[in-house]
Amino acid sequence: MSPQGRIFCGIAFVHEDSADNHYARPVEGLLAYVDTDTGEVVVEDHGVVPVPNEPAEYAAHLVAQHRTDLKPLEITQPEGPSFEVEGNLIRWQKWQFRFSVQPVEGLVLHDIRYDDDGRQRPILYRAALSDMVVPYGDPSPMHSWKHAFDASEALLGHCANALSLGCDCLGVIRYFDATVLNPDGSTRAIENAVCLHEEDYGILWKHTNAFNPNLKPEVRRSRRLVISMIHTLGNYEYGFYWYFYQDGSIQFEVKLTGVVGVSATSEDTDTAPLITPQIAAPIHQHLFCLRLDFNIDGGPNSVQEVDVEPLPEGEGNPYNAGFRAVTRTFKSEEEAKRNIDPARSRSWKVVNPESKNRVGKPVGYKLLPQASPTLLANENSVQGKRGAFARHNLWATPYSPDELDAGAGALSYRHPGGAGLPAYTAQNRSIENTDVVVWHTFGVTHVPRPEDWPVMPVEYAGFSLVPSGFFGQSPAIDVPPSDQCEAK
């Protein structure tokens, strides 16, 4: 078997029938390496381990008992949804954007704009997942080599689900099909691959005038537009959701579910905790890198970091209780390699220095991260080299038409590492007052638990883009009261 060959590693599971949980009965210690260039197969056997025998079914017809106390919940829009669709152009409230489905990136949004009193103001030229990596932390032979690139290696867009009304999406839905290219050059249609709908999202804003009890409380309900896709990659499902809000905010959310990777064992370790008496699941990470090609008011743009820190002791801080927001502008790619710091309420802002708001400051949008890990694999490991884009939560580069891939993109398979963001930013180019691209890496470190078996409840990861000086006042002030409000 040539070390330069196209080698795949296969793991084995026992199945009682084709409808059972395919991952419930792992054959521990058995690995098959297949060289697809030569057809040669090498089998590794690390010893005999009993195959788990507990049932682990999740299909509705195989679950013994269902809850009986759920009443119907109906979502109706008698006059239809508020969005308009023209080809791949979507208009909703004051938002408009286009979308496409790409083989590696999946759902891509283009030319996102906001209507600000009749002025179409650009915010993002293009926004999409660039790549993702799923490194495993268990050093056992069954898992130590795993670090799947579920976008660039598996072609995320090709793995899209055909979505079902009332299951994946609830309410008044507009679906869009996607067409993907098969290896032989033929095409395949995925029906209902993209879902578009509106959701109620609780309170948008509210205030009660406590000084005048004769006035009723002023409250507005929030509504958001959702465009989404769901993909199945082997044992895992990833749902990718873009949300647009009436206050000018944009949110990106990943919903992670599916079946965790497993080992047959009765040993509980700190790298693979037991989730049943016979099954352990290795600790692993899911790290996503979003490429955000900003176009705030048409550019040029700069990237800033905002930290909140205590004021120094002294006359200007008489009670030693003050704190301030400290802003600095990144000048080069090297300066913009940054990580999340919740203790400092760290955020990043993309501004247009040539477009000023009503208080004389550059207009901008804030990238508000969630608490998120970075890549834990050693930087000298195969995983660390190939997934180097996940070593930082923030990167920034000047726009280049051929720099779309955080990792190795179309050449991801067998790539030794060093491509993508490490290669781009090695040039240490200027990123100040230019056409700038921001790359945000985020995700979860999953320490499996018994509650994740036999299928894991959804875990969430993501970030928000929030207007920061982009508008002259709250853009949600003109949202009308709900006609269902009973406030007196």
Side-chain angles (χ1 to χ4, degrees), residues 83-91 96-99 174 176 196:
F83 55 76
E84 298 176 357
V85 177
E86 183 181 335
N88 72 336
L89 174 65
I90 295 171
R91 297 186 182 93
Q96 76 169 42
F97 60 90
R98 296 182 183 272
F99 77 94
R174 172 68 184 266
F176 303 89
L196 179 71

Side-chain angles (χ1 to χ4, degrees), residues 135-150:
Y136 279 65
D138 183 20
S140 73
M142 297 297 292
H143 301 287
S144 58
W145 46 274
K146 292 182 179 178
H147 59 291
F149 290 80
D150 282 336

Side-chain angles (χ1 to χ4, degrees), residues 158-169:
H158 286 217
C159 302
N161 287 190
L163 304 175
S164 300
L165 183 62
C167 302
D168 302 297
C169 306

Side-chain angles (χ1 to χ4, degrees), residues 92-93 95 114 204 221-223 244-248 475-476 479:
W92 178 78
Q93 298 282 286
W95 290 104
Y114 193 94
L204 175 61
R221 292 203 64 78
S222 178
R223 187 182 299 193
F244 291 84
Y245 293 90
Q246 293 162 303
D247 67 351
V479 174

Side-chain angles (χ1 to χ4, degrees), residues 13 21-23 58 136 148 150 154 156 159 161 231-238 257-261:
F13 298 84
N21 183 344
H22 273 40
Y23 302 97
Y58 53 82
Y136 279 65
D150 282 336
L156 181 81
C159 302
N161 287 190
H231 309 260
T232 298
L233 282 299
N235 56 311
Y236 267 107
E237 266 76 20
Y238 301 102
T257 182
V259 182
V260 294

Side-chain angles (χ1 to χ4, degrees), residues 185-235:
S186 62
T187 60
R188 174 170 59 93
I190 305 174
E191 294 184 353
N192 298 353
V194 179
C195 172
L196 179 71
H197 69 288
E198 292 177 289
E199 291 180 343
D200 179 89
Y201 196 63
I203 294 176
L204 175 61
W205 60 264
K206 178 176 183 174
H207 185 63
T208 299
N209 190 331
F211 301 100
N212 190 339
N214 295 320
L215 295 176
K216 68 179 183 179
E218 291 290 340
V219 59
R220 304 292 185 268
R221 292 203 64 78
S222 178
R223 187 182 299 193
R224 65 183 182 182
L225 181 72
V226 189
I227 185 167
S228 62
M229 293 184 72
I230 301 177
H231 309 260
T232 298
L233 282 299
N235 56 311

Side-chain angles (χ1 to χ4, degrees), residues 11-14 24-31 47 49-52 142 262-264:
I11 55 180
F13 298 84
V14 174
R25 298 175 177 84
V27 180
E28 188 69 18
L30 190 66
L31 298 167
V49 178
V51 175
M142 297 297 292
V262 294
S263 286

Side-chain angles (χ1 to χ4, degrees), residues 102-133:
Q102 205 266 357
V104 170
E105 300 162 307
L107 184 61
V108 182
L109 303 188
H110 306 265
D111 195 16
I112 300 173
R113 295 171 178 257
Y114 193 94
D115 185 340
D116 187 9
D117 290 331
R119 178 185 170 201
Q120 290 289 339
R121 300 181 66 185
I123 298 169
L124 283 157
Y125 181 72
R126 190 179 191 273
L129 175 75
S130 178
D131 210 339
M132 56 178 290
V133 63

